[in-house]
Amino acid sequence: MLRPTMHCPIAARSAAVINRLSLCTALLSAGLFFSCGQFSAPDSPDTAPGSTYPNICQTDDGFVMIWYEGDQHIVISEFTAEGWSRKDTIVSSERFFKNWADLPQVYHAGGNTFALSWLEMSGEGTYDYDVHVSISTDRGTTLSEPVIPHRDGVKGEHGFVSFFDFMGSTGLIWLDGRAMMPGGHGHGSGSMRLYASTIDPTGELGLEIMLDDMVCECCPTAAVNTSAGPLVAFRDRDPDETRNIQLSFINGAQLPRPIHDDGWVVPGCPVNGPAMRANGENVAIAWYTAPDNAPQVNISFSHDGGMSFGAPIRIDDGKAIGRPDLVWLDDETVLVSWLEEGVESGKLVLKKASASGSAKLLSEFDISSGRGSGYPKLALVDDHVFVAWTEPGEGGGIRSKWIQLGS
């Protein structure tokens, strides 16, 4: 029933249509509802009041959304041509570590196999939590016994997982706090590290490998599969507190390098990671940075599987908060979303951007600029984009919106 796909590729686009009737038919078959060419948004997902922190994975038939309902359940639902599937609880625990920036992850590893990750408390400290990973070989009907990929035994911070495909197994990276000593405010005073491992379809773990011995403490990571191999992105940390977005090929196809030397020196974690998506040989990455106290969102494109990237293209409107996401619209264009400061709170901005440097506003609307809104997420179905986020506070919960792409 659950059908998340490997590295969340954009769903195949509908065949060209030759008249208005065939256009309506094609869009109806994609699960969108029209009346004589006028768009009527599909239903919203069945999220309960107080639900939080959605995450989205594109599928060949639509997309899957995963989220928290209450404090003890992670729930999933899929949108296809038949609409939303009935939501199912896939993991329950009394010890979830719910973090507005560190979301549960789901990843398709080919066939009927996919991986799921979430966080659970490991001790009594505020930041004592572990990554848990499970494998399903029957599209989510059953899950393997959860395993903890980090085998350090340290009660500390572990999280911000990204998955990728690696030599017949599912690879994953995570931020690892085993080297951080107890310090103020519950965080450690040592260095956060980046580790990698693999998990096979039986749930067996591979070797545990350190990729970087000093990274930003609490920024989301990203990973894609490319023709050159698995490419991961994360916010690095230098001894002088410069925090660039770093790229690294897991298979060693190229030495690790920053996507750009932004020159942002900040003595603390900005909780702002990159968004990266692959589309064949094309890779796009979007990230937040603030050199010289000038907040901005940049995007960069690669046309050779991530081996090289063009110069950063600034696309924000001057008051960026960050938390980007993106999806490929076609071979040349992506849709990027991010938060900006608004008149009273914040706003979510969505722009179409291409490697030529063009950036065209699609939509913007008010949402909370606080942490409670989480990381807004995007999905694409034909010529419409779905957006999901969290509305914090009393009476809040997950909110979503369908937006027609237009020309």
Side-chain angles (χ1 to χ4, degrees):
M1 181 185 63
L2 306 178
R3 305 162 82 173
T5 59
M6 181 172 60
H7 55 268
C8 304
I10 300 302
R13 301 185 64 81
S14 299
V17 290
I18 59 174
N19 54 46
R20 192 175 184 184
L21 177 60
S22 59
L23 173 62
C24 291
T25 300
L27 291 171
L28 278 168
S29 70
L32 302 174
F33 309 127
F34 284 73
S35 175
C36 298
Q38 183 176 2
F39 175 63
S40 177
D43 292 336
S44 299
D46 181 18
T47 58
S51 54
T52 53
Y53 308 147
N55 203 357
I56 288 176
C57 180
Q58 202 84 37
T59 76
D60 292 333
D61 299 323
F63 61 91
V64 164
M65 190 170 90
I66 188 172
W67 67 93
Y68 288 106
E69 287 209 344
D71 293 328
Q72 299 182 10
H73 305 289
I74 296 175
V75 176
I76 197 166
S77 182
E78 182 177 6
F79 182 81
T80 66
E82 287 73 41
W84 290 97
S85 67
R86 187 178 67 178
K87 65 183 179 184
D88 282 324
T89 297
I90 50 172
V91 179
S92 294
S93 174
E94 296 180 354
R95 296 184 62 80
F96 281 140
F97 180 80
K98 294 173 63 177
N99 184 305
W100 65 274
D102 196 351
L103 310 179
Q105 302 289 326
V106 63
Y107 174 86
H108 185 242
N112 292 320
T113 300
F114 63 88
L116 178 75
S117 74
W118 65 94
L119 307 178
E120 290 194 26
M121 297 298 298
S122 63
E124 300 306 315
T126 303
Y127 297 100
D128 293 345
Y129 59 90
D130 290 334
V131 172
H132 287 243
V133 182
S134 188
I135 293 289
S136 173
T137 57
D138 53 15
R139 307 195 77 85
T141 302
T142 59
L143 297 177
S144 66
E145 187 69 21
V147 293
I148 297 173
H150 44 92
R151 282 143 274 180
D152 51 282
V154 172
K155 294 188 184 302
E157 300 175 66
H158 307 83
F160 295 102
V161 169
S162 289
F163 288 113
F164 51 90
D165 188 46
F166 190 71
M167 298 179 67
S169 293
T170 299
L172 67 154
I173 58 171
W174 67 91
L175 301 191
D176 192 296
R178 69 183 66 184
M180 299 178 73
M181 303 300 292
H185 307 291
H187 288 283
S189 58
S191 297
M192 184 67 76
R193 296 173 173 177
L194 183 73
Y195 274 79
S197 189
T198 59
I199 183 169
D200 70 17
T202 70
E204 189 77 18
L205 290 169
L207 293 176
E208 190 179 12
I209 300 171
M210 184 176 67
L211 299 179
D212 196 309
D213 65 357
M214 189 176 187
V215 301
C216 205
E217 298 85 352
C218 46
C219 289
T221 62
V224 295
N225 289 320
T226 79
S227 58
L231 179 64
V232 302
F234 55 95
R235 190 174 294 280
D236 206 6
R237 178 188 174 199
D238 290 339
D240 67 354
E241 301 294 3
T242 298
R243 302 191 184 224
N244 290 321
I245 299 299
Q246 188 86 343
L247 297 173
S248 181
F249 278 99
I250 296 296
N251 64 351
Q254 188 179 70
L255 290 175
R257 70 205 191 275
I259 182 67
H260 181 257
D261 187 4
D262 294 337
W264 186 22
V265 178
V266 53
C269 178
V271 199
N272 243 300
M276 185 167 61
R277 298 289 183 269
N279 180 22
E281 286 290 300
N282 300 318
V283 181
I285 182 170
W287 72 99
Y288 171 88
T289 186
D292 300 321
N293 295 316
Q296 57 195 257
V297 173
N298 295 328
I299 187 168
S300 184
F301 291 85
S302 170
H303 301 294
D304 56 8
M307 295 296 291
S308 64
F309 281 83
I313 301 167
R314 184 174 177 178
I315 58 174
D316 65 280
D317 294 327
K319 297 182 178 180
I321 296 172
R323 304 185 221 167
D325 196 18
L326 63 85
V327 292
W328 280 94
L329 301 180
D330 54 44
D331 290 341
E332 300 293 333
T333 309
V334 296
L335 181 69
V336 188
S337 69
W338 69 92
L339 278 170
E340 294 221 350
E341 295 178 9
V343 176
E344 295 184 359
S345 178
K347 62 181 180 179
L348 189 68
V349 180
L350 295 92
K351 284 187 179 181
K352 298 178 183 179
S354 69
S356 66
S358 66
K360 179 181 179 182
L361 180 67
L362 173 67
S363 179
E364 60 180 42
F365 52 90
D366 293 339
I367 72 170
S368 170
S369 61
R371 294 184 172 188
S373 59
Y375 261 67
K377 295 296 180 179
L378 305 179
L380 183 70
V381 178
D382 287 283
D383 291 328
H384 299 80
V385 65
F386 174 80
V387 191
W389 69 97
T390 302
E391 180 65 33
E394 185 176 355
I398 290 175
R399 301 289 185 262
S400 60
K401 187 183 183 75
W402 285 95
I403 300 172
Q404 192 168 5
L405 289 171
S407 59

